[in-house]
Amino acid sequence: MIKQLILPPVFSDPAENRRAKLLHGILLVLATMNLIGLVLFLLQGYHITSSLVLPLIAFTAIELALLVVLRRRHLNLASLLFVLMILIGDTFYILQNGGLSNPATATYVLMIFAARIFLRRRAFIAISILAHLALLFLYAIQRMGRLADFTAPETLFTPVDDGTLFVTTFIQLFILLTITFFTDYVVSTMNKALRRAEEANQAKSEFVSFVSHELKNPLTAIKLKSGYVARAKTEHALSAKQQAALQTIDLSVNRMQQIIEDLTDISQIETGQFHMELAPMQLQNVIDIAVASTQSLFQEKQQTLQLQLQPVPDFKADQHRLTQVLINLLSNAAKYTPEHGVITLQTTYAASIDEVTVSVIDSGVGIRKEEQDKIFQQFFRANDDGVNTAGGTGLGLHISRALVELHGGKINFKSTHGKGSTFYFTLPFNGTTSVNALLSTAPLNLIN
């Protein structure tokens, strides 16, 4: 039972989870402090029914009860009872211990903060009104001479005139309430704007997904028919011009299909519909497929691909998606490295932290310093002649980052303009837990 009270409850909604942890921590600290104070008072000889000991017993019992309520996932009820407990409890405490001159009067100001943090708007307004009414009630009782003045050593607290204290405290409450209403209005306006932006982004993602799906069928038909024409046995062989035209059609269709696949991946990631298939795999298989898929790019520009590979143990990941990341990095290196350039594919395994790093090092155009912080943004294209002539949509690195992070890893780069770049990603071997956790939350927004 005690262990259950010490551990905070877990809520599926992130905002509620934060509120619950904060409230749980406050209740736990207050209950502990009250218990310590109770023991100290009893050791000093105070009777259990004294005005100092009895409130501590009541507060501790209520705080423990609220921990039980919170543990049963009644967050709103526990929050309301917590604020009411302090408001009403402190009112009675002040009535018994000197009235407005008691330093506990400051609690009424704190109630506005607590109500705003833990409660919804209506409950917050109600608590604010109650705090004002409680202050008016105490002032009226004190003016009627029903309360003795609060006395304490001057080194700790010097009492002031009750009327002055009442006015200043009331003004503090009023100003605090006004500021809180203003900030509440600003936050509400910002939340509405954020919701509209999220709705627009959701509509955009759904539109992209729909268009991508509709484009796939006609492109597949064009590819099949052009391939059929190229392979067909006709009475007359195709001329060089006709063969070049068919080759152009095939390349253009392949390019369009790649763009559609990229858009589909982005749409699925943003809407939480992205799927990964985790299974034990060998990194060498990923490297073999990626190198074979990009070999023609290196041959076309007579580039040299060097392999510097360390043995890496098998680990659990989505082989297809990691291959997609490596193909993107290798194809970028080939595109932005001049003819006869050298590209290096490197793998290192750090056994001490159980982590593998895959690096692609090129001797290409590099990235300007002022553009490096934008390199993983959607559709970003560097303002460089060497980049613009190479073509591309600016989607590959954005998707690669998402895929690496879904594996619990990180992707980064180092670059010097005019000398080349090194793109690398690290994968922890225990990162599969992170993958499952990320995939279970929807939607996953990866927009910069």
Side-chain angles (χ1 to χ4, degrees):
M1 181 64 179
I2 296 177
K3 184 178 180 181
Q4 290 180 342
L5 292 180
I6 293 175
L7 296 175
V10 179
F11 290 80
S12 57
D13 181 70
E16 288 189 346
N17 203 38
R18 286 192 295 269
R19 283 175 55 209
K21 286 184 177 179
L22 180 60
L23 179 57
H24 177 271
I26 292 174
L27 287 171
L28 209 57
V29 170
L30 289 177
T32 304
M33 291 175 61
N34 287 339
L35 284 172
I36 294 173
L38 181 60
V39 172
L40 291 176
F41 281 136
L42 292 175
L43 290 176
Q44 291 175 10
Y46 285 91
H47 194 269
I48 196 169
T49 59
S50 70
S51 61
L52 290 174
V53 175
L54 198 58
L56 287 179
I57 296 175
F59 277 130
T60 304
I62 295 172
E63 286 153 5
L64 292 175
L66 289 179
L67 284 171
V68 174
V69 173
L70 185 60
R71 189 65 192 174
R72 294 182 178 179
R73 306 175 66 82
H74 299 302
L75 176 59
N76 292 328
L77 177 61
S79 300
L80 180 60
L81 292 177
F82 166 68
V83 178
L84 284 173
M85 173 197 73
I86 301 180
L87 180 61
I88 297 173
D90 267 28
T91 301
F92 281 103
Y93 177 74
I94 292 169
L95 280 171
Q96 294 178 354
N97 293 278
L100 291 177
S101 298
N102 192 314
T105 308
T107 304
Y108 293 107
V109 179
L110 297 178
M111 278 308 93
I112 308 300
F113 283 113
R116 193 66 200 98
I117 294 171
F118 295 114
L119 304 180
R120 300 185 185 276
R121 185 181 179 87
R122 290 182 179 178
F124 157 64
I125 295 172
I127 292 296
S128 303
I129 294 173
L130 284 175
H132 285 78
L133 291 176
L135 187 63
L136 287 171
F137 169 73
L138 287 173
Y139 183 69
I141 295 295
Q142 189 119 356
R143 289 296 89 191
M144 292 167 62
R146 297 294 181 89
L147 296 176
D149 290 333
F150 177 79
T151 57
E154 292 187 1
T155 54
L156 295 178
F157 177 75
T158 302
V160 297
D161 177 70
D162 293 337
T164 303
L165 187 62
F166 166 76
V167 172
T168 55
T169 306
F170 199 94
I171 290 174
Q172 286 177 351
L173 281 166
F174 181 76
I175 293 175
L176 181 58
L177 188 61
T178 303
I179 293 173
T180 306
F181 269 113
F182 176 73
T183 54
D184 184 62
Y185 170 76
V186 172
V187 171
S188 176
T189 303
M190 293 177 63
N191 285 338
K192 288 179 181 178
L194 181 61
R195 281 195 296 270
R196 286 196 294 267
E198 289 176 347
E199 289 170 0
N201 182 58
Q202 180 75 9
K204 181 264 295 181
S205 299
E206 292 174 356
F207 174 75
V208 169
S209 179
F210 171 76
V211 171
S212 300
H213 177 74
E214 292 300 313
L215 286 174
K216 282 182 180 179
N217 291 336
L219 282 175
T220 302
I222 293 172
K223 187 174 181 66
L224 288 174
K225 297 299 181 183
S226 62
Y228 173 76
V229 172
R231 293 189 300 271
K233 295 181 180 179
T234 58
E235 295 180 1
H236 303 286
L238 296 176
S239 65
K241 189 174 182 179
Q242 291 170 328
Q243 290 179 354
L246 286 173
Q247 188 175 10
T248 301
I249 291 173
D250 189 58
L251 291 173
S252 299
V253 169
N254 288 339
R255 178 65 180 154
M256 285 294 295
Q257 287 180 327
Q258 183 59 53
I259 293 173
I260 290 171
E261 288 178 7
D262 289 347
L263 290 173
T264 301
D265 285 345
I266 289 176
S267 175
Q268 289 178 346
I269 289 171
E270 290 178 353
T271 56
Q273 299 175 357
F274 190 78
H275 299 288
M276 295 179 66
E277 297 180 2
L278 302 175
M281 52 147 280
Q282 296 180 345
L283 184 60
Q284 187 62 49
N285 292 339
V286 171
I287 293 171
D288 292 341
I289 296 171
V291 170
S293 300
T294 54
Q295 190 66 39
S296 59
L297 298 176
F298 303 128
Q299 293 174 349
E300 183 180 343
K301 299 176 71 173
Q302 299 180 11
Q303 296 165 336
T304 302
L305 176 63
Q306 297 179 344
L307 301 180
Q308 298 177 0
L309 310 178
Q310 287 186 2
V312 176
D314 295 356
F315 61 100
K316 200 174 182 181
D318 188 322
Q319 179 172 310
H320 172 68
R321 294 302 181 179
L322 287 186
T323 303
Q324 181 179 344
V325 173
L326 188 54
I327 287 176
N328 179 68
L329 297 183
L330 287 173
S331 60
N332 281 350
K335 281 193 292 185
Y336 304 131
T337 298
E339 293 184 352
H340 306 289
V342 177
I343 297 163
T344 304
L345 172 58
Q346 186 180 82
T347 62
T348 55
Y349 173 59
S352 58
I353 56 176
D354 212 18
E355 185 176 81
V356 62
T357 301
V358 180
S359 306
V360 176
I361 308 165
D362 66 52
S363 53
V365 296
I367 306 165
R368 298 180 189 275
K369 193 171 183 179
E370 61 270 19
E371 295 180 328
Q372 291 186 5
D373 59 341
K374 306 175 185 176
I375 201 67
F376 290 108
Q377 293 181 6
Q378 286 186 27
F379 307 109
F380 175 73
R381 299 280 294 157
N383 188 19
D384 193 295
D385 293 338
V387 173
N388 294 329
T389 56
T393 61
L395 293 174
L397 286 175
H398 180 78
I399 295 172
S400 295
R401 184 183 69 173
L403 295 177
V404 170
E405 290 179 352
L406 282 172
H407 279 86
K410 295 181 180 179
I411 186 169
N412 212 331
F413 70 97
K414 296 179 290 186
S415 183
T416 302
H417 186 251
K419 293 185 178 180
S421 304
T422 298
F423 279 84
Y424 59 94
F425 61 90
T426 59
L427 296 173
F429 278 27
N430 59 351
T432 53
T433 302
S434 177
V435 179
N436 294 329
L438 283 168
L439 291 179
S440 64
T441 58
L444 175 65
N445 193 346
L446 294 167
I447 296 179
N448 287 281

